[in-house]
């Protein structure tokens, strides 16, 4: 087990003409479950391959604990086979010519571990993942979910420095995905192994991660705990990427009336909460983006002060709650209602939770309020 | 069409014109097969005849009395050259397949400088007509002191078989997912271990296909055998050819000799045929 430190790493596939990762710096603590999250093509898999040693960055350094494993400018590069890492690929990459048992013991045999030790560890891991009855089968005879578990088992049986997973749940159906997600996190906590997990699915990131690294266009947008990112997105991209349904956003003008500041939209006027005034007042007269998550809207009496009003556009029952779509001045917004009401129609008024305002600069899209 | 709605099971009634067509197809196929098998039939019947009968009867007629004399005599005649052929074929085929396989593994699974150019030049060698290089090749072989030796012919077959083998293997190996190679790397294996433990065990069909292909082409080869060989090193193809002139017209001997020469290739196809078909298909779908 080891922590991972990345310093100013840049990766280019065309000798420096364009960079897929630029100046990435990151620290993943020992035993941490770290998720690289981002849209496809953001460089998250590339970053992981660099950590694994499958790719050589052009610049930068990577450390496992105190040990330097990649430093192209110093001519240091440890081959993947020397790094003691384990990886699960999206396509599982089980060796088709070997049985499940052999697949799981392969890496240990390569390391020339004692036979009894190997058998003990394989049996233990097989029990943990309940794949014991499959040990003598070949990968071709397994279902998707079983293959997935074998791939996980093969990686975890090795007791690696770092455990890496590249969208490992991508090929599973929704139900199985939830189950494996839960098991995976449980096992990771039990083994306490430093884990890097790549995904584009924000739900996976939110539910599993200790530490989310949100990436876009080869750069880290924001990193922190899931609640850091959810409650304090540092820019519009982060706000929109995390959370389902998506955050509602409005272009508003900041106006001062008397001593108070207001967010003015053609369809509504909202008072800026006192604690945010300090940061918002610099934008007086300018346009900002006001964001509010669907669950931070509260249904109130029609015509109340400081409300967003609109006509009901559609309703999606979720069982425990409803997603209600409202048309506000031509723009459709969504709010999540979990009260007793079961039918929605006509005009509704919503009051945004004042402590959950997200305000972004229209030009830079960076967060204004803290 | 209103009748299109009443679809009946195909088995019950096939329209007359389709049935006639089917009979015609079969007739054409049977005729084609017979046409192809006729010379072979002639070879087999003649080989079982006595020298006299072979000269006096129709080549396609059944022998009056089955005689194995021709087989015994022709084997005696060809024995030495058959051994030469076996040695050259085994050496040439194994050598070119081994080299081609390693070469294709490197080319399909690793990127290095000028790898594309390298493969281009290598595949160009496949289309090189051997007649064009015969004279310089002969000089080189003589200078190396390998003229009329088995070693010389083995070397030539390895060198000129390798490009074809590489190209065939490359098609098969590019089918192996890259993730599998990366996984094996992460599991602590170097390139050679990956080749031995992952690539080879998962491509047995490919190896068999290329090996049989290469075995057949070296075994049947005449041009190099004729020019680079001599009395000390005479492959069976040449020896059989010389029987024609040397022993006037003993057809039964020649035909029996032909059977001896065909037998190894025939047996190979019979036993490995199912692998070959799978192998060719696999290659066909993925050939880049």
């Amino acid at each position: 087990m080891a922590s991972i430190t990345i310093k100013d790493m840049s990766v280019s596939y065309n000798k420096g003409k364009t960079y897929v990762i630029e100046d990435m710096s990151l620290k993943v603590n020992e035993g941490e479950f770290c998720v690289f999250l981002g849209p496809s093509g953001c460089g998250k898999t590339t970053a992981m391959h660099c950590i694994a040693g499958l790719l050589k960055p052009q610049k930068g350094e990577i450390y496992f604990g105190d040990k330097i494993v990649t430093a192209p400018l110093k001519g240091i590069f440890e081959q993947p086979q020397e790094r003691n890492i384990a990886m699960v690929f999206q396509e599982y990459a089980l060796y088709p010519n070997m049985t499940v048992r052999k697949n799981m013991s392969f890496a240990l045999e390569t390391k020339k571990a004692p036979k009894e030790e190997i058998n003990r560890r394989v049996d233990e891991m097989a029990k943990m993942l309940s794949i014991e009855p499959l040990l003598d089968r070949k990968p071709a005879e397994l279902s998707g979910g079983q293959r997935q578990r074998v791939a996980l088992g093969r990686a975890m049986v090795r007791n690696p420095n770092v455990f890496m997973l590249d969208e490992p749940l991508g090929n599973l159906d929704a139900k199985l995905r939830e189950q494996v997600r839960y098991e995976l996190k449980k096992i990771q906590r039990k083994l306490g192994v430093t884990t890097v997990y790549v995904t584009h699915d924000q739900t996976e990131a939110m539910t599993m991660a200790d530490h989310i690294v949100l990436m876009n266009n080869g750069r880290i947008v924001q990193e922190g705990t899931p609640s850091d990112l959810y409650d304090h997105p540092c820019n519009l991209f982060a706000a929109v990427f995390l959370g389902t349904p998506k955050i509602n956003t409005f272009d508003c003008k900041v106006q001062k009336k008397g001593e108070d500041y207001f967010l003015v939209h053609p369809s509504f006027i909202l008072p800026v909460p006192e604690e945010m005034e300090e940061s918002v007042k610099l934008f007086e007269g300018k346009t900002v983006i006001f964001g509010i998550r669907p669950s931070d809207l509260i249904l109130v009496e029609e015509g109340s002060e400081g409300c967003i009003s609109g006509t009901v556009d559609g309703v999606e029952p979720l069982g425990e709650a409803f997603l209600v779509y409202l048309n506000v001045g031509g723009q459709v917004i969504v709010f999540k209602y979990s009260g007793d009401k079961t039918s929605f129609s006509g005009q509704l008024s919503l009051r945004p939770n004042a402590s959950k305002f997200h305000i972004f600069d229209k030009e830079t899209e960076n967060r204004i309020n803290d | 069409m209103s009748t299109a709605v009443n679809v009946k099971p195909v088995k019950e009634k096939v329209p007359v014109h389709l049935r006639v067509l089917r009979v015609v197809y079969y007739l054409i196929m049977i005729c084609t097969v017979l046409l192809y098998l006729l010379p072979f039939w002639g070879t087999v019947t003649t080989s079982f005849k006595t020298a006299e009968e072979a000269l006096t009867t129709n080549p396609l007629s059944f022998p009056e009395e089955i005689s194995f004399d021709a087989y015994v005599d022709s084997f005696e005649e060809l024995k030495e050259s058959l051994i030469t052929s076996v040695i050259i074929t085994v050496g040439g085929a194994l050598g070119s397949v081994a080299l081609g396989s390693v070469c294709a593994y490197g080319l399909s699974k690793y990127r290095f400088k000028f790898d594309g150019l390298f493969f281009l030049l290598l595949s160009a060698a496949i289309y090189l007509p051997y007649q064009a290089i015969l004279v310089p090749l002969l000089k080189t072989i003589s200078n190396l002191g390998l003229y009329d030796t088995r070693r010389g012919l083995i070397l030539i077959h390895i060198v000129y078989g390798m490009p074809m083998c590489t190209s065939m293997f490359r098609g098969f190996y590019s089918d192996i997912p890259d993730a599998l190679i990366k996984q094996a790397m992460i599991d602590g294996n170097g390139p050679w271990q990956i080749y031995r433990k992952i690539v080879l065990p998962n491509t047995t069909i490919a190896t068999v296909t290329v090996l049989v292909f290469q075995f057949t082409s070296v075994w049947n080869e005449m041009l190099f055998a004729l020019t680079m060989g001599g009395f000390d090193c005479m492959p069976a193809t040449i020896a059989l050819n010389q029987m024609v002139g040397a022993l006037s017209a003993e057809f039964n001997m020649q035909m029996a000799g032909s059977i001896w020469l065909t037998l190894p290739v025939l047996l190979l196809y019979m036993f490995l045929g199912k692998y070959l078909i799978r192998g060719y298909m696999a290659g066909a779908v993925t050939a880049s």
Side-chain angles (χ1 to χ4, degrees):
Chain A
M1 262 160 274
S3 62
I4 306 166
T5 313
I6 302 176
K7 284 184 185 162
D8 305 319
M9 181 173 78
S10 295
V11 184
S12 167
Y13 285 127
N14 49 15
K15 293 174 187 160
K17 264 179 250 161
T18 51
Y19 283 92
V20 288
I21 291 183
E22 270 191 283
D23 296 328
M24 180 176 176
S25 293
L26 179 69
K27 165 118 187 167
V28 182
N29 290 323
E30 199 171 318
E32 201 171 55
F33 196 113
C34 176
V35 173
F36 287 8
L37 176 68
S40 40
C42 73
K44 54 194 192 298
T45 298
T46 305
M48 176 190 261
H49 282 193
C50 286
I51 298 173
L54 294 170
L55 257 181
K56 204 176 190 171
Q58 266 62 39
K59 279 183 280 191
E61 293 171 359
I62 300 173
Y63 298 82
F64 283 5
D66 297 327
K67 192 178 167 208
I68 188 161
V69 290
T70 298
L73 298 181
K74 291 183 192 163
I76 299 170
F77 186 74
E78 244 185 36
Q79 292 297 322
Q81 58 265 34
E82 294 158 0
R83 295 188 181 203
N84 190 25
I85 43 175
M87 193 154 172
V88 177
F89 289 86
Q90 184 174 7
E91 52 270 62
Y92 310 149
L94 298 176
Y95 306 122
N97 57 318
M98 303 177 190
T99 60
V100 169
R101 176 179 285 283
K102 181 85 184 152
N103 257 289
M104 288 174 73
S105 62
F106 185 61
L108 292 172
E109 279 167 17
T110 309
K111 273 204 296 187
K112 302 209 164 46
K115 220 174 174 99
E116 283 164 29
E117 162 93 6
I118 295 176
N119 283 336
R120 189 181 57 76
R121 272 158 78 172
V122 169
D123 288 335
E124 206 174 285
M125 192 52 69
K127 202 170 169 191
M128 204 156 159
L129 292 165
S130 24
I131 48 173
E132 285 161 303
L134 312 175
L135 282 175
D136 294 320
R137 294 209 204 155
K138 291 264 175 82
E141 302 162 47
L142 305 178
S143 72
Q146 291 170 333
R147 283 180 205 180
Q148 209 275 344
R149 269 181 288 168
V150 172
L152 282 178
R154 176 176 64 176
M156 288 188 296
V157 84
R158 294 183 41 199
N159 209 353
N161 272 334
V162 179
F163 185 30
M164 291 193 222
L165 303 113
D166 188 357
E167 309 220 1
L169 309 184
N171 291 341
L172 300 181
D173 62 62
K175 201 158 185 185
L176 202 53
R177 196 179 304 175
E178 266 171 42
Q179 189 193 333
V180 176
R181 197 165 74 196
Y182 172 73
E183 278 176 16
L184 186 63
K185 176 70 190 167
K186 204 169 73 182
I187 292 168
Q188 190 268 342
R189 206 174 291 148
K190 199 163 160 186
L191 297 175
V193 55
T194 314
T195 303
V196 176
Y197 186 107
V198 163
T199 184
H200 60 258
D201 181 344
Q202 58 92 22
T203 318
E204 279 175 26
M206 291 293 289
T207 49
M208 300 168 90
D210 299 321
H211 179 177
I212 295 181
V213 178
L214 179 64
M215 296 180 69
N216 191 27
N217 293 327
R219 286 174 180 278
I220 295 178
V221 175
Q222 190 177 5
E223 54 166 316
T225 63
S227 58
D228 281 345
L229 267 74
Y230 188 79
D231 295 334
H232 292 279
C234 73
N235 64 15
L236 190 64
F237 172 80
V240 171
F241 203 84
L242 279 113
T244 41
K246 227 168 67 176
I247 192 167
N248 300 301
T249 55
F250 306 88
D251 284 2
C252 296
K253 247 197 163 85
V254 178
Q255 279 179 11
K256 191 178 181 186
K257 267 186 203 158
E259 281 304 297
D260 299 324
Y261 289 88
F262 292 88
L263 295 171
V264 181
H265 185 265
S267 316
F268 58 83
I269 297 174
L270 297 173
V272 174
E274 235 171 88
E275 66 269 25
M276 296 175 192
E277 269 181 7
E278 199 61 32
S279 33
V280 171
K281 75 179 174 200
L282 301 168
F283 289 84
E284 192 188 331
K286 289 186 189 159
T287 305
V288 296
I289 297 167
F290 163 66
I292 187 82
R293 296 203 184 272
S295 49
D296 296 331
L297 288 163
I298 305 144
L299 189 62
V300 290
E301 286 284 311
E302 220 197 298
S304 307
E305 278 289 299
C307 279
I308 300 172
S309 297
T311 45
V312 174
D313 200 54
V315 182
E316 284 179 0
L318 295 176
E320 84 289 357
F322 290 89
L323 291 182
V324 183
Y325 293 87
L326 283 190
N327 188 329
V328 178
Q331 182 186 352
V332 175
I333 69 159
V334 57
F335 94 99
K336 194 172 180 182
Y337 176 79
S338 34
D340 299 328
K341 221 165 129 86
T342 52
S343 73
F344 305 88
S345 60
Q347 195 86 5
L348 290 182
S349 289
L350 305 169
R351 170 172 293 140
N353 183 341
S355 60
K356 299 289 174 73
F357 276 29
H358 303 282
I359 305 172
F360 306 99
D361 183 345
K362 172 83 178 162
E363 274 168 37
T364 62
E365 298 193 344
N366 287 330
R367 188 183 183 86
I368 296 169
N369 61 325
D370 1 83
Chain B
M1 278 233 217
S2 57
T3 50
V5 186
N6 299 317
V7 179
K8 282 183 178 170
V10 185
K11 246 193 275 173
E12 275 187 11
K13 228 177 198 174
V14 180
V16 178
H17 69 279
L18 281 185
R19 273 197 284 181
V20 171
L21 213 58
R22 194 186 285 173
V23 171
V24 173
Y25 285 153
Y26 272 95
L27 276 177
I28 292 173
M29 280 196 286
I30 290 167
C31 288
T32 316
V33 169
L34 283 180
L35 204 66
Y36 272 90
L37 283 180
L38 214 56
F40 189 65
W41 170 249
T43 309
V44 173
T45 52
T46 310
S47 69
F48 285 111
K49 291 173 182 172
T50 60
E52 198 180 325
E53 198 188 349
L55 276 174
T56 52
T57 56
N58 185 322
L60 298 179
S61 70
F62 207 75
E64 278 167 28
E65 207 177 318
I66 290 185
S67 148
F68 290 97
D69 294 353
Y71 280 93
V72 178
D73 293 346
S74 64
F75 186 73
E76 200 55 44
E77 196 87 21
L78 290 174
K79 199 168 63 186
E80 211 166 309
S81 60
L82 277 172
I83 293 171
T84 303
S85 267
V86 167
I87 292 173
I88 290 172
T89 308
V90 169
L94 285 184
S96 52
V97 167
L99 274 180
S101 165
V102 173
C103 212
Y105 167 60
L107 281 169
S108 63
K109 289 296 160 217
Y110 298 91
R111 296 276 74 83
F112 50 90
K113 258 188 190 164
F114 304 122
D115 53 353
L117 182 71
F118 181 70
F119 182 66
L120 196 76
L121 289 175
L122 202 68
S123 12
I126 298 172
Y127 305 102
L128 205 68
Y130 291 152
Q131 288 82 347
I133 45 136
L134 215 50
V135 175
L137 184 64
L138 186 60
K139 270 214 128 95
T140 313
I141 288 291
S142 310
N143 289 345
L144 288 170
L146 294 174
Y147 178 74
D148 196 11
T149 63
R150 289 166 178 174
R151 277 172 301 151
L153 272 176
I154 290 177
L155 181 70
I156 292 170
H157 284 304
I158 290 179
V159 170
Y160 285 95
M162 204 265 283
M164 191 62 200
C165 292
T166 306
S167 151
M168 285 174 85
F169 273 122
R170 192 170 174 263
F172 287 109
Y173 291 167
S174 42
D175 264 7
I176 303 174
D178 283 344
L180 213 59
I181 306 290
K182 286 178 183 164
Q183 180 69 56
M185 269 163 117
I186 284 171
D187 279 348
N189 296 278
W192 282 108
Q193 279 170 304
I194 296 174
Y195 175 66
R196 210 157 41 81
K197 293 182 191 165
I198 306 296
V199 174
L200 281 186
N202 283 310
T203 53
T204 344
I205 290 174
T207 314
V208 171
T209 309
V210 182
L211 198 61
V212 170
F213 175 83
Q214 200 55 20
F215 184 93
T216 316
S217 49
V218 177
W219 182 266
N220 291 338
E221 204 276 335
M222 266 190 89
L223 183 66
F224 289 143
L226 188 65
T227 45
M228 310 292 159
F231 284 109
D232 290 335
C233 166
M234 185 187 285
T237 42
I238 307 301
L240 181 70
N241 196 41
Q242 299 214 330
M243 278 170 73
V244 181
L247 302 156
S248 62
E250 289 187 69
F251 289 131
N252 59 338
M253 283 276 282
Q254 286 168 30
M255 294 307 128
S258 299
I259 299 278
W260 281 123
L261 192 65
T262 325
L263 212 55
V265 177
L266 218 56
L267 288 177
L268 211 60
Y269 271 95
M270 272 163 70
F271 286 114
L272 301 174
K274 60 174 183 183
Y275 285 104
L276 287 184
I277 287 170
R278 278 200 286 177
Y280 285 142
M281 297 307 272
V285 177
T286 57
S288 46

